[in-house]
mmCIF file with all atom_site columns, all heavy atoms in Angstrom:
data_model
loop_
_atom_site.group_PDB
_atom_site.id
_atom_site.type_symbol
_atom_site.label_atom_id
_atom_site.label_alt_id
_atom_site.label_comp_id
_atom_site.label_asym_id
_atom_site.label_entity_id
_atom_site.label_seq_id
_atom_site.pdbx_PDB_ins_code
_atom_site.Cartn_x
_atom_site.Cartn_y
_atom_site.Cartn_z
_atom_site.occupancy
_atom_site.B_iso_or_equiv
_atom_site.pdbx_formal_charge
_atom_site.auth_seq_id
_atom_site.auth_comp_id
_atom_site.auth_asym_id
_atom_site.auth_atom_id
_atom_site.pdbx_PDB_model_num
ATOM 1  N N   . SER A 1 62 ? -3.657  -0.698 8.736  1.00 93.00 ? 62 SER A N   1
ATOM 2  C CA  . SER A 1 62 ? -4.611  -0.273 7.715  1.00 93.00 ? 62 SER A CA  1
ATOM 3  C C   . SER A 1 62 ? -5.587  0.786  8.208  1.00 93.00 ? 62 SER A C   1
ATOM 4  O O   . SER A 1 62 ? -5.862  1.771  7.509  1.00 93.00 ? 62 SER A O   1
ATOM 5  C CB  . SER A 1 62 ? -5.386  -1.493 7.197  1.00 93.00 ? 62 SER A CB  1
ATOM 6  O OG  . SER A 1 62 ? -4.508  -2.391 6.563  1.00 93.00 ? 62 SER A OG  1
ATOM 7  N N   . SER A 1 63 ? -6.118  0.615  9.410  1.00 93.00 ? 63 SER A N   1
ATOM 8  C CA  . SER A 1 63 ? -7.089  1.580  9.914  1.00 93.00 ? 63 SER A CA  1
ATOM 9  C C   . SER A 1 63 ? -6.441  2.941  10.149 1.00 93.00 ? 63 SER A C   1
ATOM 10 O O   . SER A 1 63 ? -7.062  3.992  9.899  1.00 93.00 ? 63 SER A O   1
ATOM 11 C CB  . SER A 1 63 ? -7.725  1.066  11.207 1.00 93.00 ? 63 SER A CB  1
ATOM 12 O OG  . SER A 1 63 ? -6.736  0.831  12.198 1.00 93.00 ? 63 SER A OG  1
ATOM 13 N N   . GLY A 1 64 ? -5.192  2.967  10.601 1.00 96.00 ? 64 GLY A N   1
ATOM 14 C CA  . GLY A 1 64 ? -4.489  4.224  10.810 1.00 96.00 ? 64 GLY A CA  1
ATOM 15 C C   . GLY A 1 64 ? -4.232  4.949  9.508  1.00 96.00 ? 64 GLY A C   1
ATOM 16 O O   . GLY A 1 64 ? -4.447  6.169  9.397  1.00 96.00 ? 64 GLY A O   1
ATOM 17 N N   . TRP A 1 65 ? -3.765  4.212  8.508  1.00 97.00 ? 65 TRP A N   1
ATOM 18 C CA  . TRP A 1 65 ? -3.523  4.830  7.207  1.00 97.00 ? 65 TRP A CA  1
ATOM 19 C C   . TRP A 1 65 ? -4.838  5.248  6.544  1.00 97.00 ? 65 TRP A C   1
ATOM 20 O O   . TRP A 1 65 ? -4.887  6.261  5.843  1.00 97.00 ? 65 TRP A O   1
ATOM 21 C CB  . TRP A 1 65 ? -2.735  3.881  6.316  1.00 97.00 ? 65 TRP A CB  1
ATOM 22 C CG  . TRP A 1 65 ? -1.286  3.793  6.679  1.00 97.00 ? 65 TRP A CG  1
ATOM 23 C CD1 . TRP A 1 65 ? -0.443  4.845  6.942  1.00 97.00 ? 65 TRP A CD1 1
ATOM 24 C CD2 . TRP A 1 65 ? -0.505  2.614  6.844  1.00 97.00 ? 65 TRP A CD2 1
ATOM 25 N NE1 . TRP A 1 65 ? 0.817   4.391  7.246  1.00 97.00 ? 65 TRP A NE1 1
ATOM 26 C CE2 . TRP A 1 65 ? 0.813   3.027  7.196  1.00 97.00 ? 65 TRP A CE2 1
ATOM 27 C CE3 . TRP A 1 65 ? -0.767  1.250  6.721  1.00 97.00 ? 65 TRP A CE3 1
ATOM 28 C CZ2 . TRP A 1 65 ? 1.852   2.117  7.422  1.00 97.00 ? 65 TRP A CZ2 1
ATOM 29 C CZ3 . TRP A 1 65 ? 0.260   0.354  6.947  1.00 97.00 ? 65 TRP A CZ3 1
ATOM 30 C CH2 . TRP A 1 65 ? 1.551   0.779  7.295  1.00 97.00 ? 65 TRP A CH2 1
ATOM 31 N N   . ALA A 1 66 ? -5.919  4.484  6.768  1.00 97.00 ? 66 ALA A N   1
ATOM 32 C CA  . ALA A 1 66 ? -7.220  4.876  6.219  1.00 97.00 ? 66 ALA A CA  1
ATOM 33 C C   . ALA A 1 66 ? -7.684  6.203  6.808  1.00 97.00 ? 66 ALA A C   1
ATOM 34 O O   . ALA A 1 66 ? -8.245  7.058  6.099  1.00 97.00 ? 66 ALA A O   1
ATOM 35 C CB  . ALA A 1 66 ? -8.252  3.786  6.495  1.00 97.00 ? 66 ALA A CB  1
ATOM 36 N N   . THR A 1 67 ? -7.456  6.397  8.110  1.00 98.00 ? 67 THR A N   1
ATOM 37 C CA  . THR A 1 67 ? -7.796  7.670  8.749  1.00 98.00 ? 67 THR A CA  1
ATOM 38 C C   . THR A 1 67 ? -6.967  8.804  8.151  1.00 98.00 ? 67 THR A C   1
ATOM 39 O O   . THR A 1 67 ? -7.478  9.911  7.907  1.00 98.00 ? 67 THR A O   1
ATOM 40 C CB  . THR A 1 67 ? -7.556  7.582  10.264 1.00 98.00 ? 67 THR A CB  1
ATOM 41 O OG1 . THR A 1 67 ? -8.385  6.544  10.798 1.00 98.00 ? 67 THR A OG1 1
ATOM 42 C CG2 . THR A 1 67 ? -7.898  8.897  10.951 1.00 98.00 ? 67 THR A CG2 1
ATOM 43 N N   . PHE A 1 68 ? -5.685  8.528  7.889  1.00 98.00 ? 68 PHE A N   1
ATOM 44 C CA  . PHE A 1 68 ? -4.836  9.540  7.258  1.00 98.00 ? 68 PHE A CA  1
ATOM 45 C C   . PHE A 1 68 ? -5.334  9.868  5.849  1.00 98.00 ? 68 PHE A C   1
ATOM 46 O O   . PHE A 1 68 ? -5.356  11.038 5.439  1.00 98.00 ? 68 PHE A O   1
ATOM 47 C CB  . PHE A 1 68 ? -3.393  9.047  7.201  1.00 98.00 ? 68 PHE A CB  1
ATOM 48 C CG  . PHE A 1 68 ? -2.466  9.994  6.484  1.00 98.00 ? 68 PHE A CG  1
ATOM 49 C CD1 . PHE A 1 68 ? -1.908  11.076 7.140  1.00 98.00 ? 68 PHE A CD1 1
ATOM 50 C CD2 . PHE A 1 68 ? -2.173  9.820  5.138  1.00 98.00 ? 68 PHE A CD2 1
ATOM 51 C CE1 . PHE A 1 68 ? -1.062  11.952 6.485  1.00 98.00 ? 68 PHE A CE1 1
ATOM 52 C CE2 . PHE A 1 68 ? -1.341  10.698 4.469  1.00 98.00 ? 68 PHE A CE2 1
ATOM 53 C CZ  . PHE A 1 68 ? -0.781  11.768 5.146  1.00 98.00 ? 68 PHE A CZ  1
ATOM 54 N N   . ILE A 1 69 ? -5.726  8.835  5.074  1.00 98.00 ? 69 ILE A N   1
ATOM 55 C CA  . ILE A 1 69 ? -6.252  9.058  3.725  1.00 98.00 ? 69 ILE A CA  1
ATOM 56 C C   . ILE A 1 69 ? -7.465  9.979  3.782  1.00 98.00 ? 69 ILE A C   1
ATOM 57 O O   . ILE A 1 69 ? -7.598  10.922 2.988  1.00 98.00 ? 69 ILE A O   1
ATOM 58 C CB  . ILE A 1 69 ? -6.604  7.711  3.057  1.00 98.00 ? 69 ILE A CB  1
ATOM 59 C CG1 . ILE A 1 69 ? -5.321  6.928  2.744  1.00 98.00 ? 69 ILE A CG1 1
ATOM 60 C CG2 . ILE A 1 69 ? -7.413  7.931  1.777  1.00 98.00 ? 69 ILE A CG2 1
ATOM 61 C CD1 . ILE A 1 69 ? -5.568  5.498  2.311  1.00 98.00 ? 69 ILE A CD1 1
ATOM 62 N N   . ALA A 1 70 ? -8.361  9.726  4.735  1.00 98.00 ? 70 ALA A N   1
ATOM 63 C CA  . ALA A 1 70 ? -9.556  10.561 4.884  1.00 98.00 ? 70 ALA A CA  1
ATOM 64 C C   . ALA A 1 70 ? -9.182  12.008 5.154  1.00 98.00 ? 70 ALA A C   1
ATOM 65 O O   . ALA A 1 70 ? -9.748  12.955 4.566  1.00 98.00 ? 70 ALA A O   1
ATOM 66 C CB  . ALA A 1 70 ? -10.440 10.019 6.001  1.00 98.00 ? 70 ALA A CB  1
ATOM 67 N N   . ALA A 1 71 ? -8.203  12.216 6.044  1.00 98.00 ? 71 ALA A N   1
ATOM 68 C CA  . ALA A 1 71 ? -7.780  13.571 6.376  1.00 98.00 ? 71 ALA A CA  1
ATOM 69 C C   . ALA A 1 71 ? -7.108  14.250 5.190  1.00 98.00 ? 71 ALA A C   1
ATOM 70 O O   . ALA A 1 71 ? -7.328  15.447 4.928  1.00 98.00 ? 71 ALA A O   1
ATOM 71 C CB  . ALA A 1 71 ? -6.833  13.541 7.572  1.00 98.00 ? 71 ALA A CB  1
ATOM 72 N N   . ALA A 1 72 ? -6.294  13.501 4.448  1.00 98.00 ? 72 ALA A N   1
ATOM 73 C CA  . ALA A 1 72 ? -5.611  14.062 3.282  1.00 98.00 ? 72 ALA A CA  1
ATOM 74 C C   . ALA A 1 72 ? -6.614  14.460 2.200  1.00 98.00 ? 72 ALA A C   1
ATOM 75 O O   . ALA A 1 72 ? -6.504  15.542 1.599  1.00 98.00 ? 72 ALA A O   1
ATOM 76 C CB  . ALA A 1 72 ? -4.609  13.049 2.732  1.00 98.00 ? 72 ALA A CB  1
ATOM 77 N N   . ALA A 1 92 ? -5.563  -0.399 3.080  1.00 95.00 ? 92 ALA A N   1
ATOM 78 C CA  . ALA A 1 92 ? -5.889  0.879  3.713  1.00 95.00 ? 92 ALA A CA  1
ATOM 79 C C   . ALA A 1 92 ? -6.924  1.643  2.898  1.00 95.00 ? 92 ALA A C   1
ATOM 80 O O   . ALA A 1 92 ? -7.868  2.224  3.447  1.00 95.00 ? 92 ALA A O   1
ATOM 81 C CB  . ALA A 1 92 ? -4.622  1.716  3.870  1.00 95.00 ? 92 ALA A CB  1
ATOM 82 N N   . TRP A 1 96 ? -10.758 2.728  3.981  1.00 97.00 ? 96 TRP A N   1
ATOM 83 C CA  . TRP A 1 96 ? -11.323 4.074  3.823  1.00 97.00 ? 96 TRP A CA  1
ATOM 84 C C   . TRP A 1 96 ? -12.629 4.016  3.030  1.00 97.00 ? 96 TRP A C   1
ATOM 85 O O   . TRP A 1 96 ? -13.623 4.656  3.392  1.00 97.00 ? 96 TRP A O   1
ATOM 86 C CB  . TRP A 1 96 ? -10.332 4.996  3.105  1.00 97.00 ? 96 TRP A CB  1
ATOM 87 C CG  . TRP A 1 96 ? -10.974 6.289  2.692  1.00 97.00 ? 96 TRP A CG  1
ATOM 88 C CD1 . TRP A 1 96 ? -11.102 7.420  3.451  1.00 97.00 ? 96 TRP A CD1 1
ATOM 89 C CD2 . TRP A 1 96 ? -11.628 6.558  1.447  1.00 97.00 ? 96 TRP A CD2 1
ATOM 90 N NE1 . TRP A 1 96 ? -11.801 8.379  2.747  1.00 97.00 ? 96 TRP A NE1 1
ATOM 91 C CE2 . TRP A 1 96 ? -12.130 7.884  1.520  1.00 97.00 ? 96 TRP A CE2 1
ATOM 92 C CE3 . TRP A 1 96 ? -11.830 5.816  0.282  1.00 97.00 ? 96 TRP A CE3 1
ATOM 93 C CZ2 . TRP A 1 96 ? -12.825 8.473  0.467  1.00 97.00 ? 96 TRP A CZ2 1
ATOM 94 C CZ3 . TRP A 1 96 ? -12.525 6.401  -0.770 1.00 97.00 ? 96 TRP A CZ3 1
ATOM 95 C CH2 . TRP A 1 96 ? -13.006 7.708  -0.667 1.00 97.00 ? 96 TRP A CH2 1
#
Side-chain angles (χ1 to χ4, degrees):
S62 296
S63 59
W65 285 314
T67 300
F68 176 83
I69 291 170
W96 169 87

